[in-house]
Amino acid sequence: MTKRKPLIAGNWKMFKTGPEAKELTSRLKSLVSDIVDVDVMVAPPFTALAVVAEAAQDSVVYLGAQDLFWETEGAYTGQISAPMLTAAGCSYVIIGHSERRQFFGETNETVNRKIKAALEGELIPVLCVGESEAQRDNEQTFSVVKTQLKEGLEGIDTPGLERLIVAYEPIWAIGTGKTATSEQAQEVHEFIRKQMETIGGNSIAKTLRILYGGSVKPKNIAGLMAKDDIDGALVGGASLDADTFAGIIRPCSHLAEGKA
Ligand code: 13P
């Protein structure tokens, strides 16, 4: 039996100045210091990466970025590369978040280039997929997610796929308070795992961690984590308060043993 260690990730989006991020990280670090069987990651804005890296030292809290650019360096005003993120202390990078697809022209093709750059830079990519409300209403959820996976992961080899994390974030559930039910999430997570078997084979599919994102709160995490194919969460709003975020992390401890 393969066990998948839960990962709870906080996407801070465009919230928290450096000093605020430092305070939040210090509080979080002390709240989760006894938890060893859950991976915790926070993705602050770029401007707070350095202070969060420092505040998270010697803790179970890993650092992630919210995006990157695919070139390593060059005349690309405003962009940040994988080597820059690694040097800042990041081990993870979120790629293809729906807000980047919606507001910043991210496509499956740019997502694919970014995933390759992240892997090249020794970062763990967290690939975000998910359908809009209209797509769900038109029963396009599976076809949308399938295309996002297929095109986003085009040409990525086995060692790369072994490092990948996928986050299923239905757009209609992000920041709306409308969480997908555990059953709705499980159905898509199971589908994602099947697609990953087609893309990378059985062993990749079995070990892949698939996170759910969209209005995750302390009150709904246990129900989500009880599902076979839900291995963690990508949390937005509820990760901006240390006590609330810790209230999502703690119920995920001592769960891994039960999952196939
Ligand atoms: P909320 O948890 O605020 O719904 O955001 C989810 C998300 O987009 C995480 O990346």
Side-chain angles (χ1 to χ4, degrees):
M1 255 197 211
T2 316
K3 289 173 192 159
R4 297 184 294 264
K5 189 177 183 187
L7 168 64
I8 302 297
N11 174 8
W12 293 357
K13 307 191 180 183
M14 199 174 73
F15 293 98
K16 305 292 175 188
T17 62
E20 289 165 349
K22 184 178 174 181
E23 197 184 314
L24 172 53
T25 308
S26 303
R27 171 111 186 111
L28 180 66
K29 178 176 163 175
S30 71
L31 287 172
V32 299
S33 61
D34 60 319
I35 297 179
V36 292
D37 58 347
V38 180
D39 286 336
V40 178
M41 181 265 270
V42 294
F46 292 130
T47 46
L49 286 175
V51 285
V52 173
E54 204 186 324
Q57 252 177 23
D58 304 318
S59 81
V60 299
V61 181
Y62 291 93
L63 188 64
Q66 299 176 19
D67 185 33
L68 86 173
F69 188 56
W70 54 76
E71 298 292 344
T72 51
E73 62 178 11
Y76 303 104
T77 303
Q79 298 299 318
I80 306 278
S81 71
M84 290 171 182
L85 295 179
T86 315
C90 289
S91 2
Y92 294 82
V93 58
I94 298 168
I95 295 174
H97 191 280
S98 62
E99 285 149 17
R100 295 220 55 88
R101 293 179 192 256
Q102 187 180 349
F103 301 123
F104 304 102
E106 197 84 81
T107 63
N108 291 333
E109 193 202 333
T110 59
V111 164
N112 181 253
R113 295 181 78 166
K114 290 181 176 190
I115 290 179
K116 287 175 178 160
L119 291 167
E120 188 77 23
E122 308 275 300
L123 292 159
I124 300 172
V126 180
L127 165 62
C128 299
V129 298
E131 81 287 3
S132 67
E133 186 151 35
Q135 288 165 336
R136 175 161 281 260
D137 290 346
N138 290 325
E139 298 185 356
Q140 292 170 323
T141 300
F142 292 140
S143 64
V144 167
V145 169
K146 182 177 176 175
T147 305
Q148 286 171 334
L149 289 172
K150 186 169 174 283
E151 294 182 2
L153 297 174
E154 182 77 47
I156 296 185
D157 59 10
T158 304
L161 295 174
E162 276 168 356
R163 303 241 311 283
L164 179 79
I165 290 170
V166 174
Y168 169 57
E169 298 208 307
I171 297 168
W172 49 272
I174 296 177
T176 58
K178 274 201 250 174
T179 328
T181 63
S182 307
E183 289 70 29
Q184 281 175 320
Q186 164 61 24
E187 187 185 28
V188 182
H189 280 231
E190 192 181 342
F191 174 80
I192 290 171
R193 205 173 295 287
K194 286 224 176 79
Q195 290 308 305
M196 290 305 294
E197 195 173 339
T198 310
I199 293 170
N202 187 264
S203 149
I204 296 277
K206 263 191 164 165
T207 52
L208 174 76
R209 290 193 286 183
I210 308 174
L211 315 181
Y212 168 77
S215 299
V216 175
K217 309 278 182 246
K219 68 172 186 311
N220 57 29
I221 187 68
L224 290 161
M225 291 303 290
K227 296 293 181 191
D228 281 353
D229 292 297
I230 302 180
D231 308 308
L234 183 52
V235 185
S239 70
L240 296 172
D241 175 83
D243 293 79
T244 310
F245 193 41
I248 292 172
I249 297 163
R250 193 158 290 283
C252 300
S253 186
H254 304 301
L255 279 181
E257 294 86 3
K259 292 228 179 169

